[in-house]
């Protein structure tokens, strides 16, 4: 447990030092401010489609930090040095997942507020959107980390990461954006299930990928 | 330091479809040191990674006890941090005592650079920083890959003293180098003697 927090604290500090934390936030705000230019300033149309658009923006924003999550530490030998100390790769990935979500989820949720204002979303929609993001961003973080682990040893991993991650993110997008037009709460439950699944398999799949990539 | 030991029995290594070496035997009890020699590409680094458990052995067994510390060509210290803080991260993972990092910095003559960001260090200073991480780890088994690369004469002497001190304290050292090192090691393993022999009819 001590090791988990030690690793997570380092990962969070590294993310902060590389200034990578602002990238998804800036991306989300940029997309939200460009969207009205593309579809026109019709408030009714923006209000109806804006929530789903923000979900797409959040999904794409989660791909931005992928190439700094695992590959630099693998190349610098940090992952090998951690393995030498008998720490399992699953623990390393779990720590990374915690750190990555802390640096990605809450800032994205905060950035959603001004973005929602730009798109003239009403209060109830914003609340549903934030609740959906609270449940969905751990899964987006897990997916990014999983893809980062899988592609860490490869060249031009960034493009490959997008191709790998986006199909896997389809359930998140369906249920996440589905919460906005669904009064029963079923979509929220499905989103939670998809999120739990991704968060649960990422430490094992990512750990196995890092082990397999070692040579 | 008690119980440091490293035992290789009949170890073979297969990399990229090519057998690098086979039949390597090595037994190091506390205080035992070994020097791996041989030309580039003979498999020195692979053997060290095998000893560390980072590579699976193709054949044979590797046993080690007493914790492992390793240096290779990769720094594995966070560039934006000061040298002391970067070393302290690993010392905390190693559960090394509070004086371990200060002692290691002193042993490698890096005390004056403790606050300097790691990315500003020169090649030789980086190498010494890696060695300081090994010293601070308190591990019993030291695996040093080309520890003398980039070091000046004074630093090479520091390396020799650190290794001698570790051996005297009952540690185990395996150092790989293609050039002479100021390390007194009872065992010298020339890896080119362990090239695999194939049957005459093999292609």
């Amino acid at each position: 447990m001590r090791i988990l927090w030690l690793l997570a604290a380092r990962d969070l500090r590294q993310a902060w030092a590389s200034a990578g934390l602002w990238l998804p936030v800036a991306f989300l705000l940029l997309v939200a401010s460009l969207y009205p230019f593309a579809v026109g300033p019709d408030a009714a149309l923006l209000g109806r489609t804006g929530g789903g658009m923000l979900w797409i923006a959040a999904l794409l924003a989660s791909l931005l930090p992928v190439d700094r999550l695992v590959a630099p530490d693998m190349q610098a030998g940090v992952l090998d040095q951690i393995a030498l100390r008998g720490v399992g790769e699953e623990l390393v990935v779990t720590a990374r997942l915690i750190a990555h979500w802390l640096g990605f989820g809450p800032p994205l949720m905060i950035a959603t507020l001004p973005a929602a204002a730009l798109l003239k979303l009403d209060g109830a929609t914003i609340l549903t959107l934030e609740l959906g993001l609270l449940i969905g961003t751990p899964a987006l973080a897990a997916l990014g980390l999983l893809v980062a682990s899988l592609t860490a040893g490869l060249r031009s991993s960034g493009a490959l990461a997008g191709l790998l991650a986006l199909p896997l993110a389809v359930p998140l997008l369906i249920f996440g954006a589905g919460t906005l037009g669904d009064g029963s709460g079923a979509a929220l439950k499905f989103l939670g299930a998809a999120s739990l699944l991704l968060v649960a398999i990422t430490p094992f799949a990512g750990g196995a990928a890092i082990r397999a990539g070692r040579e | 330091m008690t119980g440091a030991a490293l035992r290789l029995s009949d170890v073979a290594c297969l990399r990229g479809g090519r057998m690098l070496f086979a039949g390597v035997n090595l037994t190091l009890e506390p205080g035992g040191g070994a020097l791996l020699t041989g030309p580039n590409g003979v498999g020195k680094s692979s053997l060290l990674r095998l000893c560390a458990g980072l590579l699976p052995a193709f054949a044979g067994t590797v046993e080690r006890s007493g914790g492992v510390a390793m240096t290779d060509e990769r720094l594995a210290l966070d560039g934006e941090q000061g040298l002391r803080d970067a070393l302290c991260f690993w010392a905390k993972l190693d559960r090394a005592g509070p004086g371990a990092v200060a002692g290691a910095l002193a042993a490698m003559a890096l005390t004056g650079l403790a606050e300097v960001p790691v990315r500003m260090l020169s090649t030789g200073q980086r190498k010494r920083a890696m060695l300081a991480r090994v010293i601070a780890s308190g591990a019993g088994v030291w695996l040093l890959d080309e520890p003398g690369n980039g070091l000046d004469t004074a630093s090479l002497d520091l390396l020799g003293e650190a290794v001698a001190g570790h051996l005297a304290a009952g540690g185990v050292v395996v150092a790989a180098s293609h050039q002479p090192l100021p390390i007194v090691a009872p065992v010298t393993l020339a890896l080119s003697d362990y090239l695999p022999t194939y049957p005459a009819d093999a292609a």
Side-chain angles (χ1 to χ4, degrees):
Chain A
M1 210 56 191
R2 195 188 69 95
I3 291 174
L4 184 72
W5 294 125
L6 206 58
L7 292 175
R10 173 191 174 267
D11 291 340
L12 201 56
R13 196 184 56 232
Q14 284 290 98
W16 181 259
S18 69
L21 296 184
W22 297 110
L23 216 56
V25 170
F27 179 82
L28 187 87
L29 287 175
L30 206 60
V31 172
S33 54
L34 287 178
Y35 187 65
F37 289 122
V39 301
D42 175 9
L45 180 67
L46 286 179
R48 205 166 60 245
T49 58
M53 202 280 311
L54 282 181
W55 263 98
I56 294 181
L59 171 60
L60 294 178
S62 75
L63 291 178
L64 289 175
V66 160
D67 53 355
R68 71 162 172 79
L69 286 179
V70 177
D73 277 347
M74 186 178 260
Q75 276 152 22
V78 174
L79 294 179
D80 280 353
Q81 288 289 337
I82 293 173
L84 276 181
R85 286 151 175 86
V87 180
E89 279 75 13
E90 288 78 11
L91 193 66
V92 175
V93 177
T94 308
R96 235 150 245 244
L97 180 54
I98 294 169
H100 178 38
W101 182 76
L102 283 176
F104 168 76
L108 206 67
M109 288 171 63
I110 294 169
T112 301
L113 293 175
L118 284 170
L119 298 171
K120 284 207 175 296
L121 302 187
D122 59 48
T125 310
I126 294 177
L127 199 66
T128 317
L129 189 62
E130 290 287 2
L131 190 60
L133 282 177
L134 181 65
I135 299 173
T137 44
L140 291 178
L143 194 58
L145 185 58
L146 179 60
V147 170
S149 313
L150 284 169
T151 58
L154 307 176
R155 271 168 301 175
S156 70
S157 56
L160 194 59
L163 287 179
L164 276 172
L166 290 178
L168 291 172
V170 167
L172 292 176
L173 198 62
I174 292 175
F175 298 129
T179 57
L180 297 168
D182 167 59
S184 66
L188 212 56
K189 288 174 190 159
F190 274 115
L191 179 65
S195 185
L196 271 180
L197 183 69
L198 270 173
V199 170
I201 62 169
T202 290
F204 300 101
I210 290 175
R211 251 196 314 275
R214 184 168 285 142
E215 50 179 45
Chain B
M1 170 178 329
T2 53
L6 182 68
R7 201 166 291 113
L8 306 181
S9 45
D10 210 16
V11 165
C13 175
L14 187 75
R15 296 293 302 275
R18 196 164 63 96
M19 187 77 85
L20 284 177
F21 50 79
V24 174
N25 290 295
L26 179 67
T27 303
L28 294 174
E29 301 297 338
L35 205 56
L36 300 181
T37 61
N40 295 148
V42 79
K44 301 188 293 293
S45 300
S46 298
L47 183 55
L48 284 181
R49 287 176 70 77
L50 258 165
C51 293
L54 293 173
L55 265 187
F58 179 68
T61 56
V62 178
E63 296 167 50
R64 63 193 161 270
S65 56
V68 183
M70 181 174 174
T71 68
D72 49 20
E73 78 283 5
R74 295 169 306 170
L75 186 58
L77 293 172
D78 297 334
E80 299 303 317
Q81 285 197 297
L83 180 55
R84 181 187 291 123
D85 292 340
L87 287 171
C88 275
F89 167 71
W90 294 110
K92 278 186 210 152
L93 264 191
D94 286 322
R95 293 177 185 274
V101 169
L105 284 171
M108 280 292 128
L110 287 168
T111 309
L113 298 169
E115 308 299 334
V116 175
V118 171
R119 68 192 156 82
M120 308 293 280
L121 298 180
S122 75
T123 309
Q125 287 165 346
R126 278 162 200 250
K127 200 79 203 181
R128 272 148 63 198
M130 291 183 218
L131 293 167
R133 184 183 59 222
V134 169
I135 295 170
S137 72
V141 181
W142 287 9
L143 304 171
L144 310 176
D145 194 358
E146 304 283 359
N149 272 13
L151 294 186
D152 56 19
T153 323
S155 306
L156 277 174
D157 291 341
L158 290 177
L159 168 66
E161 283 169 28
V163 168
H166 184 60
L167 292 177
V172 165
V173 176
V174 181
S177 183
H178 65 278
Q179 62 196 17
L181 282 180
I183 291 177
V184 185
V187 185
T188 301
L189 206 66
L191 263 189
S192 31
D193 297 345
Y194 293 91
L195 290 175
T197 48
Y198 294 104
D201 57 346

